[in-house]
Amino acid sequence: MSPADSLHPALTAEAKRGGRKLAVLTAYDYPGARLLEEAGVDWVLVGDSLGMVVLGYPDTTHVTLGDMLHHTAAAARGLSHTPLIADLPIGTYETPEAAVQNARALIHVGAHGVKIEGGASHRAQIEALAAAGIPVMGHIGMLPQSVLLEGGYRIKGKTPDASDALLADAVALTEGGAFAIVLELVHPAAAQRITECIPVPTIGIGSGTHCDGQVLVTHDLTGAFPWFCPKFATAKAAVGDAIRSAAAQFAVEVRASKK
Ligand code: KIV
């Protein structure tokens, strides 16, 4: 089965029923993606977190389709069989037609599926993508592309009304044809409720342990962006420190060498 075929909602729903949790990590280039495939992750995501951890922007609102195409193509070259999902960046899926056209560009450079942010308000985009044969993942809860409007990164779904609204969003995206839904900074009780109610996998980030899978920005997991790590992530390596130390050692050796 091709990586793209494995992202069909019927198959992801079957995997969910089988109970195996999905491990998803981000990559933005060839070595990053290749290392993740060698580690055996289930899906690789070229997230628009690219903007912060690679391009040096304060948030994801600066990322362009050109940025995503360039980095998706590089990540795709590092994978032989792992499904690759790419974010449609801000402003590229305002209409169903734009969503399909821009998603096709990401598929053309090697993505097997795309992810868009938004709930029931984006059902038409999800339906159009699914109808065009493009596997699409939803993303609800905290929406990083809306961080400037929202004024920060805050937990969603804390009240019964907010939890109901998130569940309605998740159901709308699922009915629209999403093969999975990212739950970002969703209160754990709301995340558990959504996970129990929808047929396709929920992939949590900062949303507790009751999701069908978990996704992290690889730089947060590896300590490759040592200046910031969100509270919900624990770095399991110190890649930033290792690079600093190797570079410092190199500089010492170069300066000590004879002419
Ligand atoms: O941009 C990103 O990396 C993401 C994940 C963290 C879910 O959207």
Side-chain angles (χ1 to χ4, degrees), residues 25-28 44-48 50 68 71-72 75 84-87:
L25 285 169
T26 63
Y28 314 94
V44 173
L45 171 69
V46 185
D48 60 359
L50 167 76
M68 291 304 297
H71 287 270
T72 299
L84 181 65
I85 301 149
D87 268 341

Side-chain angles (χ1 to χ4, degrees), residues 152-209:
Y153 298 87
R154 296 197 188 87
I155 301 278
K156 302 289 176 177
K158 284 199 273 193
T159 65
D161 282 354
S163 170
D164 288 352
L166 279 177
L167 178 58
D169 282 335
V171 169
L173 298 184
T174 306
E175 289 175 355
F179 69 82
I181 301 182
V182 167
L183 304 181
E184 177 157 358
L185 291 182
V186 171
H187 188 279
Q192 179 169 8
R193 184 173 170 222
I194 294 167
T195 300
E196 286 168 1
C197 287
I198 64 169
V200 295
T202 57
I203 311 294
I205 173 161
S207 301
T209 55

Side-chain angles (χ1 to χ4, degrees), residues 4-240:
D5 288 345
S6 73
L7 297 179
H8 192 283
L11 291 181
T12 56
E14 188 181 314
K16 172 169 176 150
R17 287 194 298 275
R20 185 169 170 274
K21 294 230 178 184
L22 296 163
V24 184
L25 285 169
T26 63
Y28 314 94
D29 57 19
Y30 172 89
R34 186 168 172 176
L35 288 167
L36 296 186
E37 181 164 279
E38 288 173 5
V41 304
D42 293 292
W43 299 338
V44 173
L45 171 69
V46 185
D48 60 359
S49 49
L50 167 76
M52 288 97 94
V53 299
V54 175
L55 301 180
Y57 293 125
D59 53 57
T60 64
T61 65
H62 304 263
V63 177
T64 65
L65 184 64
D67 294 331
M68 291 304 297
L69 291 171
H70 183 71
H71 287 270
T72 299
R77 287 190 282 273
L79 299 177
S80 66
H81 57 270
T82 307
L84 181 65
I85 301 149
D87 268 341
L88 274 167
I90 189 166
T92 64
Y93 53 97
E94 309 280 284
T95 64
E97 295 74 25
V100 171
Q101 181 183 329
N102 294 321
R104 282 204 174 114
L106 288 166
I107 299 291
H108 183 70
V109 299
H112 303 113
V114 299
K115 172 164 79 63
I116 67 171
E117 294 184 8
S121 60
H122 286 75
R123 179 176 173 152
Q125 281 85 336
I126 297 272
E127 280 176 351
L129 288 161
I134 299 170
V136 56
M137 178 153 75
H139 183 153
I140 60 173
M142 170 58 210
L143 305 180
Q145 291 174 11
S146 305
V147 67
L148 300 179
L149 295 173
E150 299 229 348
Y153 298 87
R154 296 197 188 87
I155 301 278
K156 302 289 176 177
K158 284 199 273 193
T159 65
D161 282 354
S163 170
D164 288 352
L166 279 177
L167 178 58
D169 282 335
V171 169
L173 298 184
T174 306
E175 289 175 355
F179 69 82
I181 301 182
V182 167
L183 304 181
E184 177 157 358
L185 291 182
V186 171
H187 188 279
Q192 179 169 8
R193 184 173 170 222
I194 294 167
T195 300
E196 286 168 1
C197 287
I198 64 169
V200 295
T202 57
I203 311 294
I205 173 161
S207 301
T209 55
H210 294 288
C211 298
D212 299 304
Q214 297 289 332
V215 58
L216 276 182
V217 169
T218 296
H219 290 55
D220 297 338
L221 179 72
T222 61
F225 193 84
W227 311 280
F228 174 76
C229 186
K231 284 199 200 91
F232 56 77
T234 307
K236 299 200 186 301
V239 167

